């Protein structure tokens, strides 16, 4: 086998980074980013199968509904082999391996300083060789059950997922990535095999390496590794999206835990089916600048709340975008949450009526470029950023040019339609 | 597996500017940002909470940027320069630090430059804070004391860390490492503008001080620019307490405490009687690796994967306090079996019943981990500083050599020193 499409180069001169991307005849997207002088090498094999992929059909067949937590369960079980688990071989090669499941994907990764290609070989092999038995699936339920309980005791995790539950009425983004002890009880080896066959086909996957390796050699080895087994035709998965209705599911969710001080998150959601990749990225950037203008540490709101002792340095805002929905999350460790929310809403309305200060936008644009430069020091960040962007069908390197195009009017326009008081949902974890 | 050759990357060039105060600079050409850290060294103790307020107060305002908001706006203008503060412990020492990252001049668009301005800004923050009648503002000090009080009270939010800290407090009731680096809330009642200003003046004048800088600039040039940070710094000789001898275990004790948690946390404290200067120090590091530091370690493969008792289980060796801590997140009903299973694995290491492969994998993992430190200026600075504070030569290649020379017999000899001192269980309230 070999490459099916012309090589693409994604790059940006300000960031000083370049990713070369090819499509393998197996269907896999294969990409490489060289980092001269770095001793560490990083590679990941990522599938576009995350916790939001709860319904799908293949070839016009019947709709398949998955229990919550399947993608994460599959991540755990892929490490299991007939003789030993996949970690062992990485350890023999002196490498560190890991995996994680997000809302939109599952990533298997390793980092090493030596034996990069044997590690890459092992990565592709273990992800393409499932070994599910009744015994090992049942055993994993105990381990994942403990993982679920560990997160249940984590107030930061609870306040975040309670906010998502308050924001979304139906969308699966609100479900816990690991599922619950009840939903994972339904998982069987046959179900895992079915999901693996559908979502782990190379056409749904990205193989990416970042580090000081030779580009041509990497693509040669990747070609050989991806050609060694016949993965069959592209199953042509049809993801069934759950449409979300406007307005929050609940105005407030409050949970008591043994915590030192209250934790408050509040947020607003977006529904935006049909936006192109570049439009999604632009919306994300405009929203992030808007959030910085209102909630950032250089704003009057932060200074006022901090000075009154209502917030600490943990207070901040972020925006998370998916193909069909998005949401911002604002908050941190707080005191007097009711008063704080009132002050926040007053400030939003004040800025909505007076407009954004253009000098704020310019400073945040400058600052955003500095943050990007810092982030691109990290091999892990480059990989995560690239895979996340490709799953959204965006080009991660367009961000600098898009940032340059943003105007104060764009920010004002966004504020007129967003952060409306009736659309807000709050999540609180309080001592109790 | 053979060990890789020396990486030949530039290390720090160190200049002792006063006894115990050292400026460390190195050229780093691979990254897009410069890294800066200044650290002041003191002793851990009961009354260190007020020292923790010093960096927080410094970051609230400087002479030409008198408010927190002014500081934030300045960092945004300087291309998103990050500035943060920290308090840590290293053995019996307390470390107060300020750290920063900012883009390399060569990476900025339109021939913009930031290095000179960034260093001048950091110097002003440290040496010329915003003072009113020669003191920090009353409101700033009271506000930061309140924030720090909440930080201390919020430590319980992270249940695993809380369990570990409680275990260390119970294990070492009269040793200096029982103190948390944040100090105690009672001390904060004494925080006044006069006291915190005095502590700041004392710290910059008399505390041993280290500045670590990595950036794409001639180390001679960066050293010349950073030297003014040491103005007026003349550490008192002998102001830090002498190291105390490590203790062994007596009768094994058990402590169970009940919390509002779903998952129990088990912590075993073992005395190693092996400090940094002990000939068996590196053997103890490898013994810890065989036992529970890596995915191939016995705690992961046996207690988690084979017995399905937990999701997280690991061991951690702290040579400065002579403690090895084993932690596991478990179902409370499994606590007796988890404890037994962990002790069985310790016994396996003590008896030398681990395979040659496990031993080799551990050496490989250690070597890889140490090499990777060299890709991160922050990790290099941390390694350099903690090595010096613990009386160890800050030479990564020398440490790699000593670890590569560890033998199986050495690991067994080190593991036979382990004595179980205390078993701490954080249990759900329902189990009481």
């Amino acid at each position: 086998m070999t490459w099916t499409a012309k090589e693409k180069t994604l790059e940006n001169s300000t960031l000083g980074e370049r990713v070369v991307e090819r499509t393998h005849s197996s269907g896999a997207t294969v990409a490489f980013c060289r980092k001269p002088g770095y001793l560490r090498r990083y590679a990941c094999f990522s599938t576009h199968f995350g916790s939001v992929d709860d319904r799908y059909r293949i070839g016009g067949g019947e709709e398949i509904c998955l229990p919550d937590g399947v993608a994460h369960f599959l991540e755990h079980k892929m490490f299991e082999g007939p003789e030993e688990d996949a970690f062992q071989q990485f350890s023999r090669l002196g490498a560190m391996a890991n995996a994680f499941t997000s809302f939109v994907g599952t990533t298997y990764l390793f980092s090493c300083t030596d034996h990069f290609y044997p590690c890459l070989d092992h990565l592709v092999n273990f992800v393409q060789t499932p070994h599910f038995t009744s015994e090992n699936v049942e055993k994993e339920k105990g381990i994942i059950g403990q993982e679920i309980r560990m997160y249940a005791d984590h107030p930061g995790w609870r306040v975040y997922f309670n906010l998502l539950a308050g924001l979304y009425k139906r969308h699966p983004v609100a479900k816990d990535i690991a599922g619950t002890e009840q939903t994972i009880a339904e998982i069987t080896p046959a179900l895992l095999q079915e999901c693996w066959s559908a979502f782990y086909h190379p056409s749904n996957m990205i193989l990416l390496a970042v580090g000081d390796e030779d580009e041509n050699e990497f693509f040669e080895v990747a070609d050989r590794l991806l050609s060694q087994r016949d993965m069959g035709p592209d199953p042509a998965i049809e993801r069934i999206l759950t449409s979300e209705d406007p307005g929050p599911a609940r105005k407030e969710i409050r949970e008591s835990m043994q915590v030192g001080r209250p934790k408050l998150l509040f947020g607003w959601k977006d529904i935006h089916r049909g936006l192109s990749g570049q439009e999604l990225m632009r919306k994300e950037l405009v929203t992030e600048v808007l959030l910085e203008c209102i909630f950032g540490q250089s704003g009057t709101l932060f200074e006022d709340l901090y000075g009154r002792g209502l917030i600490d340095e943990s207070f901040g805002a972020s925006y998370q975008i998916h193909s069909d929905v998005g949401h911002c999350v604002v908050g941190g460790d707080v005191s007097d949450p009711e008063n704080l929310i009132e002050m926040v809403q007053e400030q939003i309305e004040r800025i909505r009526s007076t407009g954004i200060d253009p000098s704020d936008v310019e400073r945040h644009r400058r600052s955003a470029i500095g943050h990007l430069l810092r982030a691109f020091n990290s091999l892990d960040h480059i990989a995560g950023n690239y895979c996340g962007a490709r799953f959204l069908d965006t080009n991660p390197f367009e961000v600098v040019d898009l940032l340059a195009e943003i105007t104060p009017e764009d920010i004002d326009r966004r504020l007129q339609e967003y952060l409306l008081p009736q659309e807000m949902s709050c999540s609180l974890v309080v001592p109790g | 597996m053979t060990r890789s050759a020396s990486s030949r990357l530039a290390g720090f060039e160190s200049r002792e500017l006063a006894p115990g105060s050292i400026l460390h600079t190195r050229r780093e050409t691979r990254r897009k940002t410069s890294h800066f850290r200044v650290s002041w060294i003191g002793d851990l103790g009961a009354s260190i909470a007020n020292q923790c307020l010093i960096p927080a107060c410094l970051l609230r305002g400087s002479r030409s940027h008198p408010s927190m908001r002014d500081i934030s706006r300045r960092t945004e203008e300087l291309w998103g320069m990050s500035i943060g503060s920290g308090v840590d412990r290293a053995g019996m020492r307390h470390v107060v630090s300020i750290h920063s990252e900012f883009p390399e001049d060569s990476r900025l668009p339109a021939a913009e430059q930031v290095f000179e301005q960034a260093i001048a800004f950091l110097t002003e923050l440290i040496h010329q804070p915003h003072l009113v009648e020669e003191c920090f503002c009353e409101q700033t000090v009271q506000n930061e004391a309140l924030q720090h009080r909440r930080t201390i009270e919020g430590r319980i939010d992270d249940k695993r860390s809380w369990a570990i800290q409680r275990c260390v407090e119970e294990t070492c009731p009269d040793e200096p490492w029982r103190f948390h680096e944040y100090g105690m809330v009672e001390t904060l009642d004494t925080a006044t503008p006069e006291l915190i200003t005095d502590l700041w003046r004392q710290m910059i004048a008399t505390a041993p001080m280290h500045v670590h800088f990595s950036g794409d600039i001639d180390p001679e040039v960066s050293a010349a620019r950073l030297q003014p940070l040491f103005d007026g710094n003349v550490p008192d000789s002998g102001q830090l307490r002498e190291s105390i001898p490590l203790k062994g275990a007596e009768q094994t004790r058990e402590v169970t405490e009940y919390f509002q948690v779903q998952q129990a946390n088990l912590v075993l404290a073992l005395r190693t009687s092996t400090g940094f200067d002990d000939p068996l120090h590196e053997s103890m590091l490898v013994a810890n690796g065989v036992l529970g530091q890596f995915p191939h370690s016995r705690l992961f493969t046996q207690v988690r994967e084979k017995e399905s008792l937990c999701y997280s289980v690991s061991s951690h060796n702290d040579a400065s306090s002579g403690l090895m801590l084993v932690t596991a997140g478990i179902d409370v009903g499994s606590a007796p079996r988890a404890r037994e299973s962990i002790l069985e694995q310790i016994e396996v290491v003590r008896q030398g019943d681990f395979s040659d492969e496990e031993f080799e994998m551990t050496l490989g993992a250690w070597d890889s981990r140490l090499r990777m430190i060299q890709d991160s200026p922050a990790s290099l600075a941390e390694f350099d500083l903690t090595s010096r504070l613990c009386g160890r030569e800050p030479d990564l290649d020398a440490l790699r050599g000593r670890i590569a020379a560890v033998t199986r017999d050495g690991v067994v000899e080190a593991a036979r020193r382990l004595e179980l001192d205390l078993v701490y269980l954080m249990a759900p309230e329902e189990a009481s």
Side-chain angles (χ1 to χ4, degrees):
Chain A
M1 289 204 222
T2 184
W3 309 102
T4 59
K6 199 168 173 291
E7 174 177 299
K8 257 200 303 193
T9 301
L10 313 177
E11 59 189 327
N12 178 274
S13 59
T14 302
L15 295 177
E17 293 293 352
R18 173 175 176 270
V19 172
V20 177
E21 182 185 281
R22 296 183 184 177
T23 304
H24 190 254
S25 51
S26 64
T29 299
V30 183
F32 178 75
C33 176
R34 183 155 180 263
K35 294 293 281 182
Y38 275 67
L39 299 176
R40 184 166 174 256
R41 282 95 169 107
Y42 176 105
C44 64
F45 202 15
S46 292
T47 168
H48 189 182
F49 178 44
S51 63
V52 298
D53 298 303
D54 61 344
R55 294 192 298 146
Y56 69 102
R57 66 167 69 87
I58 285 180
E62 276 191 33
E63 178 179 323
I64 299 165
C65 291
L66 299 174
D68 300 345
V70 169
H72 173 260
F73 202 105
L74 197 47
E75 172 219 310
H76 272 239
K77 281 330 301 165
M78 287 313 301
F79 281 92
E80 190 106 30
E83 307 295 330
E84 62 179 15
D85 74 47
F87 287 116
Q88 298 299 309
Q89 180 61 9
F90 282 118
S91 288
R92 275 183 210 111
L93 296 166
M96 284 185 261
N98 208 342
F100 60 88
T101 307
S102 69
F103 296 110
V104 294
T106 308
T107 295
Y108 300 86
L109 62 99
F110 71 83
S111 61
C112 64
T113 50
D114 297 296
H115 311 294
F116 174 73
Y117 288 110
C119 288
L120 190 70
D121 186 334
H122 183 49
L123 175 70
V124 173
N125 265 310
F126 94 80
V127 176
Q128 293 195 331
T129 316
H131 176 66
F132 309 128
T133 65
S134 299
E135 190 191 354
N136 72 35
V137 168
E138 287 309 310
K139 182 199 78 176
E140 205 66 29
K141 289 177 184 174
I143 296 173
I144 295 177
Q146 284 306 319
E147 185 180 2
I148 290 169
R149 288 189 193 188
M150 181 178 82
Y151 283 110
D153 286 336
H154 195 295
W157 189 261
R158 292 303 311 146
V159 74
Y160 178 66
F161 273 93
N162 283 346
L163 175 65
L164 297 188
L167 285 172
Y168 291 96
K169 294 172 180 168
R170 304 195 299 164
H171 198 280
V173 74
K175 294 175 179 173
D176 199 314
I177 290 168
T180 66
E181 291 186 73
Q182 290 72 39
T183 62
I184 65 170
E186 300 170 36
I187 292 173
T188 61
L191 179 67
L192 294 177
Q193 185 68 40
E194 203 176 310
C195 291
W196 180 84
S197 300
F199 290 100
Y200 281 59
H201 188 273
S203 57
N204 196 44
M205 298 191 73
I206 297 170
L207 180 64
L208 166 72
V210 191
D212 195 0
E213 290 291 336
D214 179 78
E215 182 182 312
N216 291 329
E217 187 180 3
F218 168 72
F219 281 111
E220 277 171 32
V221 174
D223 177 25
R224 179 170 55 75
L225 295 176
L226 290 166
S227 304
Q228 37 189 28
R229 50 179 71 73
D230 181 7
M231 301 292 285
D234 178 353
I237 315 153
E238 184 194 337
R239 290 163 211 272
I240 302 171
L241 300 178
T242 302
S243 61
E244 178 66 22
D245 296 331
R250 291 168 68 177
K251 298 296 278 183
E252 183 184 301
I253 295 182
R254 187 179 285 250
E255 182 172 336
S256 293
M257 293 179 77
Q258 189 166 6
V259 290
R261 64 182 304 200
K263 295 179 189 308
L264 166 70
L265 290 180
F266 49 93
W268 291 263
K269 77 179 171 195
D270 271 315
I271 303 167
H272 49 228
R273 265 202 195 179
L275 288 188
S276 71
Q278 196 182 66
E279 287 166 338
L280 283 173
M281 187 178 268
R282 188 178 152 73
K283 180 172 189 175
E284 184 179 20
L285 289 172
V286 167
T287 311
E288 283 172 351
V289 174
L290 169 66
L291 295 174
E292 268 306 305
C293 288
I294 298 176
F295 302 108
Q297 295 203 1
S298 62
T300 53
L301 179 68
F302 188 96
E303 185 177 48
D304 193 18
L305 297 176
Y306 191 95
R308 291 169 190 249
L310 295 177
I311 60 169
D312 62 16
E313 294 250 341
S314 68
F315 188 85
S318 63
Y319 187 67
Q320 177 148 34
I321 198 158
H322 298 279
S323 61
D324 53 344
V325 293
H327 52 263
C328 72
V329 177
V330 189
D333 289 358
V334 305
S335 305
D336 195 358
E338 284 77 14
N339 190 20
L340 189 152
I341 286 171
E342 204 171 297
M343 290 174 68
V344 164
Q345 288 185 325
E346 280 170 15
Q347 176 72 353
I348 293 170
E349 293 316 314
R350 197 175 304 126
I351 296 179
R352 215 192 301 275
S353 61
T354 59
I356 295 283
D357 180 345
S359 70
D360 285 351
V361 177
E362 181 49 35
R363 273 199 337 278
H364 290 308
R365 192 199 332 261
R366 218 172 148 88
S367 181
I369 289 173
H371 289 161
L372 280 168
L373 285 170
R374 193 158 74 235
F376 274 80
N377 286 326
S378 157
L379 312 188
D380 309 56
H381 174 86
I382 292 170
N385 184 263
Y386 172 83
C387 292
R390 298 317 277 155
F391 290 154
L392 270 183
D393 200 21
T394 62
N395 175 350
F397 292 105
E398 282 180 351
V399 60
V400 178
D401 294 337
L402 286 172
L403 261 175
E405 291 168 10
I406 291 174
T407 65
E409 291 72 36
D410 292 330
I411 310 295
D412 276 328
R413 211 172 300 126
R414 177 73 167 126
L415 181 55
Q416 293 310 316
E417 55 151 38
Y418 198 45
L419 310 186
L420 301 170
Q422 67 274 20
E423 304 280 328
M424 185 168 115
S425 183
C426 295
S427 165
L428 268 163
V429 166
V430 293
Chain B
M1 184 179 304
T2 54
R3 197 165 64 88
S4 299
S6 165
S7 44
R8 295 184 300 278
L9 284 172
F12 285 110
E13 291 180 18
S14 301
R15 297 162 176 78
E16 187 157 21
L17 301 178
S21 285
I22 309 179
L23 171 58
H24 315 267
T25 56
R26 62 182 282 273
R27 184 155 209 156
E28 172 57 79
T29 58
R30 300 168 298 169
R31 295 168 68 89
K32 303 171 198 303
T33 51
S34 293
H35 176 265
F36 165 93
R37 171 175 168 165
V38 55
S39 314
W40 294 274
I41 316 303
D43 280 318
L44 268 179
S47 61
I48 52 172
N50 284 335
Q51 270 80 358
C52 301
L53 304 184
I54 300 171
C57 289
L58 293 177
L59 299 185
R60 288 291 301 270
S62 68
R63 194 177 59 176
S64 57
H65 300 88
S67 74
M68 200 174 180
R69 186 165 171 238
D70 293 329
I71 288 178
S72 294
R73 290 168 79 97
R74 181 64 179 148
T75 60
E76 287 165 0
E77 286 163 5
L78 294 175
W79 295 91
M81 171 189 192
S82 71
I83 303 180
S85 64
V87 286
D88 301 288
R89 59 179 165 182
M92 57 190 290
R93 305 298 180 216
H94 189 232
V95 182
V96 171
S97 62
I98 289 178
H99 49 86
S100 176
E101 266 192 76
F102 46 86
E104 297 290 356
D105 289 348
S106 58
R107 304 284 187 173
L108 290 173
E112 291 253 6
Q113 296 194 331
V114 71
F115 172 77
E116 299 278 356
Q117 297 176 78
I119 299 299
F121 185 40
L122 288 165
T123 308
E124 180 182 310
L125 285 170
I126 292 162
H127 282 278
Q128 297 177 308
H130 174 56
L131 301 179
V132 176
E133 294 176 356
E134 300 297 308
C135 284
F136 288 118
C137 296
E138 171 84 28
Q139 198 206 346
T140 295
V141 172
Q142 292 314 317
N143 198 223
E144 290 305 329
L146 176 67
Q147 296 284 8
H148 193 58
R149 177 185 300 274
R150 288 176 179 159
T151 302
I152 295 171
E153 289 166 352
R155 281 174 37 218
I156 197 170
D157 296 0
D158 183 340
K159 301 296 184 295
R160 174 75 40 84
S161 299
W162 184 264
I164 290 170
Q165 175 65 21
R166 285 291 303 123
C167 178
V168 172
E169 286 168 2
E170 290 291 333
T171 308
C172 312
D174 52 2
E175 292 158 80
W177 26 84
R178 72 185 182 281
F179 296 114
H180 194 276
E181 59 267 31
Y182 292 165
M184 301 191 292
V185 284
E186 297 76 20
T187 312
L188 295 170
D189 294 338
T190 63
T192 61
E194 293 75 19
L195 176 69
I196 304 304
T197 311
D198 279 351
L199 289 175
W200 160 67
R201 290 190 203 284
Q202 277 174 36
M203 186 181 82
I204 60 169
T206 65
M209 172 180 171
H210 292 260
V211 170
H212 289 88
F213 178 82
S214 294
D216 190 6
I217 188 163
D218 182 338
E220 293 289 332
V221 175
S222 55
R225 297 293 184 279
L226 292 162
Q227 200 155 329
L229 284 164
F230 290 80
D231 285 354
N233 178 253
V234 186
D236 295 340
S237 58
Q239 66 170 300
L240 296 178
R241 280 199 298 271
E242 289 288 320
S243 297
I244 62 163
L246 300 178
K247 283 191 172 181
E250 293 170 6
Q251 187 84 29
T252 301
R253 290 164 294 150
E254 301 199 16
V255 174
T256 299
E257 293 180 327
Y258 297 93
F259 294 83
Q260 290 173 29
V261 289
Q262 296 197 29
Q263 186 182 55
N265 277 288
L266 178 67
V267 189
L268 273 60
L270 300 121
R271 298 281 187 173
T272 67
S273 303
T274 307
F276 279 102
D277 53 354
D278 194 292
L280 279 180
H281 170 56
E282 286 77 19
S283 297
M284 189 62 80
L285 294 180
V286 177
N288 179 51
V290 172
L291 176 66
Q293 195 179 2
F294 303 110
H296 69 262
S297 302
R298 300 201 67 86
L299 295 180
F300 188 88
T301 58
Q302 306 299 310
V303 182
R304 170 176 151 152
E305 291 297 311
K306 197 168 168 189
E307 297 209 45
S308 193
L309 283 167
C310 49
Y311 167 70
S312 68
V313 61
S314 61
S315 62
H316 169 73
N317 178 56
D318 180 4
S320 49
S321 59
L323 289 175
M324 185 183 290
L325 299 172
V326 178
T327 62
I330 52 170
D331 184 272
V332 71
S334 310
R337 177 59 204 139
R339 172 185 168 161
E340 194 181 349
S341 180
I342 290 166
L343 292 174
E344 284 167 10
Q345 298 315 314
I346 293 171
E347 197 53 30
V348 165
V349 186
R350 290 163 66 93
Q351 296 304 321
D353 289 339
F354 51 88
S355 67
D356 287 343
E357 187 171 57
E358 286 174 274
F359 174 66
E360 290 295 331
M361 289 193 291
T362 305
L363 294 186
W366 256 109
D367 195 57
S368 185
R369 176 172 287 200
L370 290 174
R371 292 188 77 210
M372 286 181 190
I373 287 176
Q374 297 172 87
D375 280 351
S376 160
S379 302
L380 268 178
E382 179 69 23
F383 176 80
D384 185 88
L385 182 67
T386 49
S387 298
R388 290 170 189 274
L389 296 183
C390 298
R392 181 178 67 183
E393 183 65 23
D395 182 336
L396 263 175
D397 277 340
L399 179 58
R400 289 176 61 208
R402 290 197 300 274
I403 286 182
V406 169
T407 62
R408 283 183 60 102
D409 288 346
V411 170
V412 170
E413 193 183 344
R416 287 185 178 168
R417 287 187 177 180
L418 294 173
E419 299 172 300
L420 182 62
D421 196 334
L422 190 123
V423 178
Y424 176 85
L425 182 68
M426 168 188 274
E429 281 175 344
E430 307 83 71
S432 64

